[in-house]
Amino acid sequence: MENEQASARWRNPLKGWQPAREVDEVPTDPWRNPVHAPGRYTVKLFAIGRLRFFHKFRAHGKRLWHRTRYWPTRRRVLDVRGGYNPKTLAAEKTIRDKRPLYWLTAFACLLALPLAVPDSAANTLYTAAAIFGIYGAINLCWMLIIGTAGVSSLATYSVVGAAAYGSAYCSIHFGMPWWALPFIGVPIGLVFGLIIALPATRLDGFYYALLTLGLNELCRTYVLQSKVFGSATGGLYGAQSYIPDSLSADGQLLLGYYASLVLLVMALALYRTINGRRLGRILRMAPEQKEAFAEACGIDYRRARIQVFLLSSMALGFIGGFYAAHFRGASPSLFSIDTVALGLAMLMIGGMQRAEGAVLGTFIVVGLHHGLVGLGPLRLILIGVIMLAVVLFLRGGLFGIKPQFRAWRDKKKSENRSTRSVKGGEMLPEEATETFDKDEIYRRRFDKQQRDFLKTLVTAQVIEEHRRQPLGQHSEALERLLMYFRRHPQQDKYAIEVLEPFKAYRIVALSGHRGVAPHDVEEKIYASTDDAYHGVFMRRVQDLLES
């Protein structure tokens, strides 16, 4: 009993070397071993680590790898990045851009599609697949006009139709071979592009869309009433085709399918070239509603828009000539409102501003419209329902699901974190997976456990000891508390401001930034430095108990 009472009092170890002082022996708490502190490991520990979203390849050592780029663009085929594993410090490589792999897989599946098509459905599927290739190429060029150039044009199919009618007319009346039809469509597309591009310098947005929609209807009315372009036969037919008549029916369908697939690849290469080179970068610097800022920076975005529009019109003319060579003519349905509406549905479902969206939207709409002919008008209703659902619930089409889901997930994670009222120094599991420096996790965990132990040292005896003697030698419990408080970072750390030497002092909090003055934390004025030191100590103790 006497030993316990003796151990509960602190004696000044420097008593023999210091002059007589008022306080040489004060009551204190019995010594506690921090290793065996109660409740030290009562906190539930969570597994830490980072999720492996990307596959890691083995080390490259001292060798450098070749970064292949899409010629003639500056885009890399595979965005391979090297680094070091934060745990093992081993060199590793990561493929950040896997889209080329997905494209190769998709085209491999399309090339192998005839091997899996049953004979009973070969006619329908090959015809739908050929239409998918042609319409996919058209939509990629349309994406350059709407997405890259930012021109709200609805006359894309009128350019294709004009080139198809012009090249079919040359083939029928002048005997042009089939291989010349796409090249005949190029100048026709350029002329129509110039005619459509001129109003774009004066009109924009909704009014320009109405103008181009009216141009579509004007072309449709003209070809329906013109005897030269087959008003009596419902179209202009009889052009030469690259599909020879000597082939069997299945061979003709298969040749048309692969030729349309090659056209789709050519359109995709054009999209990558224009969107990835200087024209695309200039137009991305002058997005919608920011043209004045771009013009002030010296960017001639109007000229860049016209150039992209004309290049896309020439490509659409080439596709129109291919259309005439594939179907041996042209039909007024190219100018109809239904075709424009289906084209818009393809772009909206897949997602604007992305080549993948144009191709995927075309695949879905063409598959429903031409692959499910037996459903009748119900398939059009189904396409409308899908488009309405995409517009209502998705911001960027089907390819916008991933970023939209990530934004929603981050929002929910933030909401869940805000509901955790008691957090302390322990890091939440979702924070640990996002923290690159894992040492920070253990530091915060140790800080949490250390504070849990220090809370048990805060007693009335310790507070009274500090009030009597803020500076100098202290007991073991008070010394532990003071050492922990001194290790705090400079930001929001308490300090004493001298208002009047030896008469008035005030507690402030440091900003932690050079040149930024500290801010006041209370209005109380202390008469001596010892009272101010004790006031700082009490505020730190309060923060410790409330953490």
Side-chain angles (χ1 to χ4, degrees), residues 192-424:
F192 263 75
L194 284 172
I195 296 174
I196 300 172
L198 288 177
T201 59
R202 297 286 183 179
L203 299 177
D204 196 5
F206 177 73
Y207 297 101
Y208 184 75
L210 285 180
L211 177 66
T212 53
L213 192 61
L215 180 63
N216 256 346
E217 186 64 20
L218 180 64
C219 293
R220 188 185 70 86
T221 304
Y222 176 78
V223 297
L224 284 177
Q225 297 180 359
S226 174
K227 295 181 180 180
V228 178
F229 292 108
S231 60
T233 58
L236 189 62
Y237 299 101
Q240 295 188 21
S241 176
Y242 63 89
I243 303 176
D245 296 331
S246 58
L247 284 178
S248 62
D250 292 341
Q252 292 180 1
L253 292 173
L254 194 60
L255 178 60
Y257 165 65
Y258 281 120
S260 303
L261 194 60
V262 172
L263 181 68
L264 178 62
V265 174
M266 293 171 61
L268 180 62
L270 177 68
Y271 180 89
R272 293 295 186 191
T273 301
I274 295 178
N275 197 52
R277 286 185 63 83
R278 184 174 180 272
L279 281 177
R281 293 196 297 271
I282 286 177
L283 292 172
R284 280 194 294 272
M285 293 176 65
E288 190 177 359
Q289 306 300 330
K290 293 184 180 179
E291 290 88 352
F293 174 77
E295 193 171 11
C297 295
I299 299 175
D300 191 359
Y301 71 95
R302 296 182 184 274
R303 181 179 179 181
R305 279 183 173 178
I306 298 300
Q307 289 178 352
V308 172
F309 196 98
L310 295 181
L311 289 174
S312 302
S313 299
M314 294 172 62
L316 290 172
F318 184 90
I319 297 173
F322 179 86
Y323 183 95
H326 181 83
F327 291 102
R328 301 179 186 272
S331 171
S333 62
L334 284 170
F335 305 103
S336 66
I337 302 297
D338 298 340
T339 305
V340 176
L342 285 177
L344 284 175
M346 296 173 190
L347 298 185
M348 294 299 295
I349 291 175
M352 305 290 284
Q353 305 283 347
R354 298 194 61 171
E356 299 89 345
V359 175
L360 180 61
T362 306
F363 180 81
I364 293 175
V365 173
V366 171
L368 293 176
H369 187 258
H370 295 276
L372 302 177
V373 182
L375 295 179
L378 185 61
R379 67 187 191 279
L380 299 177
I381 298 177
L382 183 59
I383 293 173
V385 170
I386 295 175
M387 182 178 177
L388 183 62
V390 169
V391 171
L392 290 178
F393 301 105
L394 300 178
R395 290 192 293 268
L398 295 179
F399 276 94
I401 294 178
K402 186 176 181 180
Q404 188 173 348
F405 170 75
R406 286 182 174 178
W408 173 83
R409 182 189 60 186
D410 295 340
K411 178 183 176 182
K412 290 299 180 182
K413 287 167 65 175
S414 300
E415 292 176 354
N416 294 333
R417 291 173 185 174
S418 64
T419 58
R420 297 281 293 272
S421 58
V422 180
K423 178 181 176 183

Side-chain angles (χ1 to χ4, degrees), residues 31-227:
W31 182 79
R32 296 183 179 90
N33 189 348
V35 178
H36 304 291
R40 178 175 173 83
Y41 295 104
T42 58
V43 180
K44 182 179 179 181
L45 303 181
F46 297 95
I48 62 174
R50 60 191 177 104
L51 301 178
R52 291 287 185 172
F53 295 107
F54 305 103
H55 179 70
K56 304 294 182 181
F57 292 93
R58 293 297 299 272
H60 57 273
K62 297 181 180 179
R63 295 176 299 172
L64 298 178
W65 61 92
H66 180 65
R67 294 179 173 88
T68 306
R69 302 180 185 273
Y70 292 106
W71 184 90
T73 69
R74 296 176 61 86
R75 286 191 171 193
R76 287 183 288 185
V77 176
L78 293 176
D79 188 6
V80 181
R81 298 183 183 180
Y84 293 91
N85 190 291
K87 294 183 179 180
T88 62
L89 299 181
E92 57 188 16
K93 294 185 294 184
T94 305
I95 299 178
R96 308 286 294 185
D97 187 8
K98 295 185 175 61
R99 288 180 297 176
L101 300 179
Y102 298 150
W103 279 110
L104 288 177
T105 304
F107 282 120
C109 294
L110 291 175
L111 289 175
L113 179 64
L115 301 177
V117 173
D119 296 336
S120 59
N123 190 4
T124 302
L125 291 180
Y126 285 155
T127 303
I131 295 175
F132 157 71
I134 296 174
Y135 277 68
I138 295 174
N139 289 332
L140 284 171
C141 297
W142 196 3
M143 188 74 72
L144 284 174
I145 297 174
I146 296 180
T148 303
V151 179
S152 303
S153 173
L154 299 180
T156 299
Y157 284 91
S158 66
V159 176
V160 176
Y165 268 94
S167 56
Y169 182 85
C170 292
S171 176
I172 295 172
H173 295 280
F174 299 104
M176 291 293 180
W178 64 266
W179 53 267
L181 300 187
F183 300 100
I184 294 175
V186 171
I188 297 176
L190 178 60
V191 172
F192 263 75
L194 284 172
I195 296 174
I196 300 172
L198 288 177
T201 59
R202 297 286 183 179
L203 299 177
D204 196 5
F206 177 73
Y207 297 101
Y208 184 75
L210 285 180
L211 177 66
T212 53
L213 192 61
L215 180 63
N216 256 346
E217 186 64 20
L218 180 64
C219 293
R220 188 185 70 86
T221 304
Y222 176 78
V223 297
L224 284 177
Q225 297 180 359
S226 174
K227 295 181 180 180

